[in-house]
Amino acid sequence: MVLKLLFLVSLILLFSTAAHSQLQPILSTNYYQKKCPRFEQIMQDTTTNKQIASPTTAAATLRLFFHDCFMGGCDASVLISSTPFNKAERDADINLSLPGDGFDVVVRAKAAIELACPGVVSCADILAFATRNLVLMMGGPYYSVKLGRKDSLISKASYVEGNLPRPTMPMNQIIQIFTSRGFSIQEIVALSGAHTIGFSHCKEFSSILYNYSRNGQSDQSYNPKFAQALRNACADYNKNPTLSVFNDVMSPNKFDNMYYQNLQKGLGILSSDHALNSDPRTKGYVELYAKNQNAFFVAFARAMEKLSVYGVKTGRRGEIRRRCDAFNN
């Protein structure tokens, strides 16, 4: 009788452990060590060559990664192209301005990896790994990237609205989007430091640059001379929607803490940038990262490690796509 009980208990433990492992994605930094030994070298070569050829690639890929992860997890759903039967995420209004270089570096890496080890490496892993490599190339911090994600089986534009933070949103709404995904206010401020590279289109901040109020043409958070310079740079944005300016006007091609220093001087670009420096919940972290780049780098690295495993798909919840822009048939 005792032996039977022990046997039953051991069976229950075995099944509960197996069930738990199904719920917990099994990711590891050396996931492709045996499955695709050249994975890291191919990724290094591809990201380096692409960044040298197109210096906007790092910022484009970082933004693409954020937009992918915040919509249901880091699963390459944003890479899917629309069809006559499905309007995909990348065609949602907020994603239309995602630069092509981010998509292109993933496509190039996937093509090279498929030649070396076909059907093994997911597009989601390629995007996550490329993002880390490119942040590092720009002078940013190293952080580990766990691998083993599967690619999503769904991508719908209709799911996007309200799930991605917009620069025009009030700070309460931005905080709610992040905290509902388990990110702290400190992590919000650290991840916002990604604006140390890249650019923003004039139309994204025109509402606080022109005809802002009776008391002034622009939001008072702007340095007045900087606001005038932006108005001049963006003067034809209605005719030319591609007009843009650097997010960090002081060191746009370097991943550093200058973004936070700019905020304190009224040199932020977006409404959400100014809000970080004025909201009492976030202001202290802006001050910390402005004076201590190491503190920013440590916080950014930890937040990126956390973001990169958010909502990942494993097992039957995903697939290894043959092409990153289309589901397997």
Side-chain angles (χ1 to χ4, degrees):
M1 187 68 183
V2 173
L3 283 173
K4 281 187 178 179
L5 278 171
L6 285 171
F7 179 69
L8 281 170
V9 168
S10 63
L11 272 179
I12 291 166
L13 285 170
L14 183 67
F15 281 118
S16 65
T17 304
H20 183 71
S21 68
Q22 289 294 312
L23 294 171
Q24 295 295 317
I26 302 167
L27 306 182
S28 68
T29 53
N30 60 356
Y31 188 81
Y32 295 115
Q33 196 168 356
K34 292 181 180 176
K35 295 181 179 182
C36 189
R38 292 188 57 226
F39 168 74
E40 292 196 18
Q41 188 59 55
I42 292 171
M43 288 301 302
Q44 187 62 51
D45 294 344
T46 306
T47 50
T48 300
N49 293 338
K50 176 64 180 172
Q51 177 63 23
I52 291 169
S54 304
T56 58
T57 300
T61 308
L62 185 51
R63 187 172 171 222
L64 183 65
F65 182 64
F66 281 138
H67 281 233
D68 182 45
C69 293
F70 261 69
M71 257 315 301
C74 306
D75 58 8
S77 54
V78 75
L79 302 179
I80 291 291
S81 293
S82 294
T83 68
F85 310 103
N86 179 54
K87 185 178 179 182
E89 270 178 45
R90 67 192 290 176
D91 286 323
D93 179 58
I94 195 172
N95 286 335
L96 293 175
S97 62
L98 288 171
D101 284 325
F103 293 94
D104 187 56
V105 73
V106 175
V107 170
R108 288 172 184 237
K110 178 67 169 174
I113 287 168
E114 284 298 299
L115 288 173
C117 31
V120 172
V121 180
S122 69
C123 302
D125 276 347
I126 290 171
L127 177 55
F129 206 84
T131 301
R132 193 280 308 281
N133 282 8
L134 289 160
V135 165
L136 204 57
M137 274 190 75
M138 297 296 285
Y142 175 89
Y143 58 92
S144 64
V145 178
K146 290 184 178 180
L147 302 164
R149 299 165 189 76
K150 291 285 186 71
D151 298 321
S152 72
L153 301 171
I154 192 166
S155 176
K156 292 194 175 292
S158 58
Y159 293 173
V160 174
E161 190 56 46
N163 282 305
L164 284 170
R166 289 181 179 270
T168 51
M169 283 178 176
M171 186 51 72
N172 278 343
Q173 193 174 354
I174 291 173
I175 288 174
Q176 193 277 326
I177 288 174
F178 276 88
T179 54
S180 67
R181 288 161 174 76
F183 291 91
S184 68
I185 287 176
Q186 181 175 8
E187 288 166 337
I188 296 171
V189 182
L191 290 171
S192 297
H195 285 170
T196 183
I197 56 174
F199 56 85
S200 291
H201 290 95
C202 293
K203 64 180 180 180
E204 292 180 287
F205 55 93
S206 60
S207 62
I208 60 169
L209 193 59
Y210 301 101
N211 305 315
Y212 181 66
S213 70
R214 293 179 192 173
N215 301 322
Q217 192 168 4
S218 302
D219 187 334
Q220 298 300 303
S221 302
Y222 280 122
N223 174 297
K225 289 183 179 177
F226 183 55
Q228 184 57 56
L230 287 176
R231 283 196 293 272
N232 294 340
C234 293
D236 292 326
Y237 83 93
N238 275 322
K239 296 176 186 173
N240 182 5
T242 62
L243 273 180
S244 56
V245 296
F246 287 120
N247 290 323
D248 173 358
V249 293
M250 304 305 286
S251 58
N253 297 312
K254 186 180 179 188
F255 198 102
D256 55 21
N257 68 333
M258 190 60 72
Y259 164 75
Y260 300 104
Q261 295 178 34
N262 290 342
L263 297 188
Q264 295 179 315
K265 298 171 187 171
L267 303 178
I269 299 289
L270 304 169
S271 177
S272 54
D273 294 334
H274 297 304
L276 284 178
N277 191 50
S278 60
D279 193 292
R281 292 168 292 184
T282 54
K283 186 178 176 67
Y285 295 116
V286 171
E287 291 171 350
L288 170 62
Y289 300 150
K291 64 186 177 189
N292 188 334
Q293 180 167 283
N294 187 57
F296 163 49
F297 275 18
V298 169
F300 182 82
R302 285 177 181 164
M304 286 298 286
E305 285 181 358
K306 180 174 174 178
L307 176 65
S308 70
V309 296
Y310 173 71
V312 297
K313 313 295 185 291
T314 57
R316 293 180 181 177
R317 295 179 61 223
E319 63 183 8
I320 306 292
R321 286 186 209 141
R322 287 186 288 274
R323 287 177 47 135
C324 290
D325 62 351
F327 301 120
N328 296 340
N329 292 328

